[in-house]
Amino acid sequence: MSVRQLKNPDPANDRRVTQDSKLATRGSASARTRQFLISAIVLLLSAYLFIDPQSMKSAAGSYALCSRDGDKVYTVDAQNSQTQCIVVQGAYIVDRGSLQHVTNRWNRFSLNKLISRRASVETRFIEPGAIIVPGLSDSHGHILEYGAAQGLPLEGTKTIQDTVARVRNFILANPDIHNDTTKFIVGGGWDHTVWPSTGWPSAADLDEDPVIRGRPVVLQSKDCHALWVSSKAIEASLPFPESVDGGIIVRDDDGNPTGVLLDNAQELLKQPELTEGDLLRRFRVAVRDAHALGLTSIHDAGLDPASLAFFKRQAEVGTLPLRIYGMTFFDETKAYWGNVTTPVIGAGNGRLTARSVKIFADGALRTGGAALYEPYADNPSTNGFMRLDPEVLFDVIPKFLRDGWQVNVHAIGDRANGIVLDAFEASLKGVNVTASRPRLEHAQIMTEADMKRLGRLGVIASVQPTHATSDMWYAQDRLGPERVKGLYAFRSLIDSGARITLGSDFPVETMNPLFGFYAAITRLSPDGQSPHGPDGWFPEQRITRQEALRGMTIDPAYASFTETILGSLEVGKRADYVVLSQDIMTVPANDILATKVLVTAIDGQAVYHG
């Protein structure tokens, strides 16, 4: 008999055993669950303790910038949306939204936040009434020339004698210059269009002053298209040629140079090479003022070929103090270089790019060098001139486009703009215009047909609103009542489908971007005046505040191929922003110029505090 057969099975007992087993199992599972939860909590606490305590308070370089007044962050995204806060980590924007959203996501303790190890951020608030906008850009300026002009600024002088007196006082106020008669005296900003006398100033006007006489003096005009120089400055450059292609040597009745050189003739004047110290001083002056005015990016328009070489050297030794989009000067007398020169993209910690070429087609309206279809109304003997043979444009533009360069062409007069558009139209056949993004620099006087052609071709119009409010006082005398309607016609350009980007052409005009914003939306001078009254000069050509803000932020970013990282306050973009003391998008227009820059930040770091 087996052992199994000796047992007398009891079903009730079996059930009790089964139930006890289940209870035991449940108890064991419950214990395991408790143990798991305890372990998880321990692990989470360990993770918490393992996180750098400082990073839990505020990650290095991380903060939320908010307005207590509500949605006062103008993001300039595709929807032109506004929000209350942006969150900055390091050099980038990582979030945006309401204060509650930022608090919940970044500063309120939660299990999800702990698991994700998201560091808390410091919350900073802007002043009541202030707003936040993307870092402002100037699409057309001259950085080192600005620094030079600030040394001896001549803007605002009312007569030739007033200008001469300012030069004399500058010499007397600087002993190192006063004691060295060989030192070149350089200044800029004189504007003969506001002087009561007609005609050009002369070397004789400078030489009449006993303090100035015998010194080399070089004075750049307001529009940078003319030099007024002393006899001593001319001496080392003689003899001059009889004529200059694309330029004029102003002469007296006997054929002698009077002391004024226009456009390409300026290149005839020999001047001492600038030292690195000279360039650094000029650069620091420009950077200082740019930061104070809310500029984080400047498109340097290649007036001086030495400028770009200097910027490259600065980028090699460290991070540039602002973003520079440099245009390489085109010299038609030299061999084509687009296929043997490599564009610079993102040097100096991403702050220097030079992938465009700057070509001058004609002169300037102020000095009578803009190339027009019909003669000037106030000087019927001329219709201006092209600074290069139009065939050069048809030759080099397609080459530069083929070799991956953006082509930016200075064109002022209606004839110059028409010729340049002819060359662009011929060169852009089969070319991806979105990839090449050619630019018309100034686009000042255009026929209605050419405005429409500009929009159809997709060529960017780089315009300067403060030119309009400076030139409006003499423009009709120079162009006549009908032709002047096509001058600075910004609304017509936009309505034709063209994309515009705004700049100042400093030092020709003030560097302050708010002056450009105000001029674009009012067509008034800073004191609220215009030849057409308080509604503005040709008020139908005003643009909206939203268009003006985009023209100073996202549109310059597009024009410099950086719209994916700059130009708007969106997640993933560089944290370049400006805090303005009041809301320029809503305050009365006549209050805009009272706005102050409170903070300018580049890559999330404040470079200026007002």
Side-chain angles (χ1 to χ4, degrees):
M1 184 178 293
S2 68
V3 175
R4 186 178 300 171
Q5 288 175 323
L6 288 172
K7 288 186 175 181
N8 183 14
D10 183 347
N13 185 59
D14 287 346
R15 284 193 297 272
R16 285 195 298 271
V17 172
T18 301
Q19 290 170 354
D20 290 343
S21 298
K22 289 181 178 178
L23 289 172
T25 301
R26 290 174 183 168
S28 177
S30 178
R32 286 196 299 270
T33 301
R34 287 195 298 272
Q35 184 62 40
F36 172 78
L37 290 174
I38 291 170
S39 299
I41 291 171
V42 170
L43 285 171
L44 288 172
L45 287 173
S46 298
Y48 175 80
L49 293 172
F50 216 63
I51 296 173
D52 177 8
Q54 286 301 113
S55 71
M56 287 303 294
K57 292 178 182 178
S58 177
S62 299
Y63 56 91
L65 189 64
C66 302
S67 168
R68 296 187 190 276
D69 297 334
D71 293 343
K72 290 299 181 180
V73 179
Y74 288 86
T75 68
V76 196
D77 60 9
Q79 294 75 39
N80 292 316
S81 62
Q82 295 173 232
T83 191
Q84 189 175 11
C85 303
I86 56 172
V87 179
V88 176
Q89 273 192 352
Y92 294 90
I93 297 170
V94 296
D95 201 3
R96 63 180 186 175
S98 66
L99 178 59
Q100 183 177 2
H101 164 80
V102 169
T103 300
N104 289 343
R105 189 173 187 201
W106 295 91
N107 291 335
R108 182 167 294 166
F109 179 84
S110 70
L111 190 61
N112 286 337
K113 182 176 185 295
L114 189 58
I115 293 171
S116 67
R117 298 165 66 95
R118 183 180 295 122
S120 297
V121 298
E122 174 191 359
T123 301
R124 305 173 185 173
F125 292 94
I126 60 176
E127 293 182 7
I131 65 170
I132 304 167
V133 298
L136 302 178
S137 294
D138 191 309
S139 295
H140 189 112
H142 303 281
I143 297 172
L144 298 185
E145 290 75 15
Y146 175 88
Q150 300 314 297
L152 174 53
L154 302 175
E155 190 158 359
T157 56
K158 304 299 183 183
T159 64
I160 291 176
Q161 292 71 30
D162 186 18
T163 311
V164 171
R166 193 172 292 189
V167 176
R168 179 183 67 247
N169 292 337
F170 174 80
I171 295 171
L172 295 174
N174 291 273
D176 61 323
I177 294 174
H178 183 258
N179 296 331
D180 185 354
T181 59
T182 67
K183 185 167 288 189
F184 268 67
I185 298 160
V186 179
W190 58 272
D191 181 6
H192 68 293
T193 67
V194 301
W195 297 342
S197 58
T198 58
W200 297 105
S202 68
D205 294 317
L206 292 168
D207 296 338
E208 282 179 2
D209 189 287
V211 174
I212 300 174
R213 188 181 307 126
R215 299 176 185 267
V217 179
V218 181
L219 308 177
Q220 183 82 65
S221 66
K222 176 179 171 65
D223 61 8
C224 294
H225 285 261
L227 288 179
W228 171 20
V229 299
S230 66
S231 298
K232 190 67 176 179
I234 293 176
E235 282 180 11
S237 302
L238 294 175
F240 286 153
E242 287 298 314
S243 63
V244 180
D245 289 339
I248 294 175
I249 304 167
V250 179
R251 300 178 185 272
D252 61 21
D253 293 340
D254 295 324
N256 299 313
T258 65
V260 173
L261 306 171
L262 304 180
D263 288 298
N264 288 353
Q266 296 177 98
E267 298 169 16
L268 298 174
L269 191 72
K270 296 177 181 178
Q271 300 183 60
E273 290 289 331
L274 293 171
T275 67
E276 197 74 0
D278 294 331
L279 297 172
L280 276 170
R281 282 190 291 273
R282 294 180 179 187
F283 187 49
R284 287 167 181 160
V285 167
V287 169
R288 177 200 67 198
D289 291 355
H291 287 169
L293 295 171
L295 289 170
T296 58
S297 177
I298 294 173
H299 299 189
D300 191 271
L303 186 64
D304 183 351
S307 298
L308 185 55
F310 170 77
F311 299 146
K312 289 178 180 178
R313 292 195 299 273
Q314 290 299 297
E316 289 172 357
V317 298
T319 300
L320 289 170
L322 79 168
R323 303 190 192 282
I324 300 174
Y325 185 73
M327 305 180 198
T328 303
F329 180 78
F330 172 74
D331 185 346
E332 66 172 308
T333 66
K334 296 182 179 179
Y336 173 74
W337 48 261
N339 58 341
V340 294
T341 303
T342 303
V344 176
I345 300 178
N349 196 28
R351 295 189 181 180
L352 175 64
T353 291
R355 57 178 298 176
S356 65
V357 58
K358 170 71 177 299
I359 302 173
F360 284 90
D362 66 343
L365 182 66
R366 188 180 297 272
T367 47
L372 306 176
Y373 284 118
E374 302 296 331
Y376 282 85
D378 59 351
N379 185 8
S381 66
T382 181
N383 64 341
F385 54 85
M386 295 291 288
R387 287 181 62 166
L388 46 65
D389 189 315
E391 290 304 314
V392 174
L393 296 172
F394 286 86
D395 176 44
V396 301
I397 289 179
K399 290 179 180 177
F400 278 115
L401 292 173
R402 175 200 65 200
D403 291 326
W405 292 85
Q406 182 189 48
V407 178
N408 305 341
V409 185
H410 162 112
I412 302 288
D414 51 8
R415 179 162 62 99
N417 277 291
I419 291 171
V420 173
L421 284 179
D422 288 344
F424 272 137
E425 189 165 24
S427 304
L428 288 170
K429 291 176 181 177
V431 173
N432 182 343
V433 71
T434 303
S436 57
R437 304 184 191 183
R439 293 168 49 161
L440 202 55
E441 300 298 319
H442 306 303
Q444 282 187 10
I445 315 167
M446 299 186 74
T447 65
E448 185 177 345
D450 277 343
M451 289 185 203
K452 292 178 179 178
R453 185 160 57 136
L454 181 74
R456 187 176 72 252
L457 291 174
V459 174
I460 298 167
S462 173
V463 300
Q464 298 76 41
T466 45
H467 279 341
T469 52
S470 286
D471 293 358
M472 63 186 178
W473 302 105
Y474 70 85
Q476 184 162 319
D477 290 341
R478 187 145 297 179
L479 297 173
E482 287 303 314
R483 186 167 45 180
V484 74
K485 295 176 183 178
L487 179 65
Y488 304 112
F490 303 144
R491 176 83 269 148
S492 295
L493 286 172
I494 293 175
D495 291 346
S496 73
R499 186 165 191 160
I500 70 170
T501 182
L502 306 184
S504 66
D505 203 7
F506 67 75
V508 178
E509 307 290 352
T510 174
M511 183 189 275
N512 192 336
L514 292 180
F515 277 68
F517 182 90
Y518 172 82
I521 68 169
T522 66
R523 310 274 293 191
L524 293 169
S525 62
D527 60 1
Q529 299 184 40
S530 86
H532 294 164
D535 288 336
W537 184 59
F538 293 110
E540 67 274 10
Q541 295 297 342
R542 293 178 299 198
I543 65 176
T544 69
R545 297 191 196 208
Q546 195 66 252
E547 289 167 335
L549 182 60
R550 294 185 71 86
M552 294 160 41
T553 53
I554 193 64
D555 291 330
Y558 177 83
S560 58
F561 302 88
T562 54
E563 76 279 8
T564 60
I565 59 169
L566 300 174
S568 61
L569 300 177
E570 298 182 77
V571 173
K573 288 196 172 185
R574 292 276 187 171
D576 291 7
Y577 63 82
V578 178
V579 181
L580 299 175
S581 63
Q582 60 178 344
D583 192 344
I584 61 172
M585 305 301 284
T586 60
V587 298
N590 58 5
D591 290 337
I592 288 172
L593 296 183
T595 306
K596 305 296 183 185
V597 173
L598 302 179
V599 177
T600 304
I602 301 177
D603 282 340
Q605 298 295 313
V607 294
Y608 173 80
H609 283 283

